[in-house]
Amino acid sequence: MEYTVLFCLLPVFTLTMQESVRLEVSPRVTAECGKPVSLHCNTSSHQHGLSVKRMEWSQGNMSLCSVDSQETMTTLQIHFQSDFRCQYKDGRLSLVFQTVLPLESGNSKRYMCKLHSNKGVAHNYTRLQLQECCGTVDTVLKHNGPSCTFNHVYPDGDVHWFYGSRNVSDGSVTQHTAKSVDNHGWMIIHSWLTFNGTQERGSHKPYNCSLKGSTSGKYIASTFVLKHGHQASRGATGYSTSDGNRVRQQKAVKIALAILVSLIGMLK
């Protein structure tokens, strides 16, 4: 028996593996409230001969800024609330925020850096996380009780009232709390006390209004409501007022700080 063997000659293709291009970014960047923060995107330092055609930072479907092969920067800030700018030098594109708003941070917000180059296309992601914080505290003492308002709170918190070193939860006063969120995602927490008796009305001791952060479980802001009327406080120990005698103000501040130190020691 004879066999006929047929050979099928197929064209030979030469596959050239294009060198892959990579981008280096930080997986997560933490921003302090009210302070600038930068997201950096770098082309790999060992990729010699890399030519950037286009490099871009975007969030969702929104392009924030891009640079072309001529290093011409284009920035689009029409629909983005946070103030930012972009910088480019030697293969690094940086997205710099002057301040970060809650609506533009968190696990659900990913910022993408994308590169088009002569060695291919690459992209990578960064998450921007805003630290737990509180901006300012406004306080006022009325005839029926003290009140305080925590502004620019992120992400949330609970208000605790103290009378001297005692937690006011014994029924002598009634606490009320109202929360709202502004257009930028900041929480506003307003809390006030209603006197049920006359003992606290006539007392000259200051009330302490403290905000415990929901993330850390620590007090992130605290202030005193004194008999001088309206005060404004920033942070944990800040204090300022626009009226009254300067000497009395300074004495009140010293008393308030001494009580605060004692209170913090008891709460640890």
Side-chain angles (χ1 to χ4, degrees):
M1 181 179 294
E2 296 182 359
Y3 295 91
T4 303
V5 180
L6 299 177
F7 293 93
C8 182
L9 299 179
L10 298 176
V12 178
F13 294 95
T14 302
L15 299 179
T16 302
M17 296 300 295
Q18 189 178 45
E19 180 184 352
S20 62
V21 61
R22 292 180 299 157
L23 292 175
E24 298 172 351
V25 301
S26 296
R28 184 181 298 272
V29 176
T30 301
E32 295 185 47
C33 290
K35 294 185 178 181
V37 65
S38 300
L39 307 183
H40 300 296
C41 181
N42 302 290
T43 58
S44 299
S45 58
H46 65 274
Q47 293 173 352
H48 302 292
L50 179 70
S51 176
V52 174
K53 297 180 180 179
R54 177 182 169 88
M55 201 169 178
E56 176 188 41
W57 273 110
S58 61
Q59 199 278 311
N61 296 323
M62 186 187 310
S63 175
L64 301 178
C65 63
S66 62
V67 62
D68 60 18
S69 58
Q70 303 300 316
E71 298 190 10
T72 301
M73 185 73 66
T74 301
T75 303
L76 300 175
Q77 200 169 10
I78 300 175
H79 302 292
F80 207 72
Q81 297 185 46
S82 295
D83 292 330
F84 69 88
R85 68 181 188 278
C86 286
Q87 300 172 340
Y88 179 79
K89 184 177 181 181
D90 298 332
R92 167 185 276 197
L93 181 62
S94 299
L95 177 59
V96 184
F97 292 97
Q98 187 62 32
T99 57
V100 177
L101 300 177
L103 288 179
E104 292 157 358
S105 66
N107 290 330
S108 62
K109 300 292 184 180
R110 294 198 305 174
Y111 291 81
M112 183 179 72
C113 179
K114 189 170 184 178
L115 170 70
H116 294 264
S117 73
N118 63 328
K119 294 188 177 183
V121 179
H123 68 275
N124 212 338
Y125 294 95
T126 295
R127 296 185 188 274
L128 182 58
Q129 182 63 52
L130 187 62
Q131 274 188 347
E132 182 179 65
C133 64
C134 175
T136 61
V137 188
D138 299 320
T139 67
V140 63
L141 181 62
K142 298 181 180 180
H143 70 281
N144 59 337
S147 69
C148 65
T149 302
F150 296 92
N151 304 292
H152 280 201
V153 177
Y154 180 83
D156 198 354
D158 295 316
V159 179
H160 293 181
W161 283 91
F162 297 89
Y163 181 56
S165 60
R166 177 170 59 90
N167 194 333
V168 184
S169 57
D170 58 359
S172 60
V173 297
T174 302
Q175 179 177 339
H176 313 269
T177 302
K179 298 181 180 181
S180 60
V181 180
D182 67 14
N183 294 332
H184 300 299
W186 295 110
M187 181 164 285
I188 304 166
I189 302 178
H190 178 58
S191 183
W192 66 100
L193 300 179
T194 301
F195 293 136
N196 298 329
T198 59
Q199 180 179 358
E200 285 78 11
R201 290 177 188 270
S203 175
H204 295 284
K205 290 182 180 180
Y207 280 85
N208 174 273
C209 181
S210 298
L211 181 67
K212 178 177 285 189
S214 61
T215 301
S216 66
K218 299 179 180 179
Y219 289 104
I220 60 175
S222 181
T223 189
F224 288 91
V225 186
L226 304 178
K227 285 287 186 178
H228 300 304
H230 182 83
Q231 302 102 29
S233 173
R234 183 176 184 86
T237 58
Y239 176 92
S240 65
T241 182
S242 57
D243 302 311
N245 182 269
R246 178 62 59 184
V247 176
R248 293 179 61 188
Q249 294 172 5
Q250 294 175 349
K251 289 182 179 180
V253 172
K254 291 180 179 179
I255 294 173
L257 290 176
I259 295 174
L260 179 59
V261 171
S262 175
L263 177 61
I264 293 175
M266 295 179 64
L267 293 175
K268 288 183 177 181

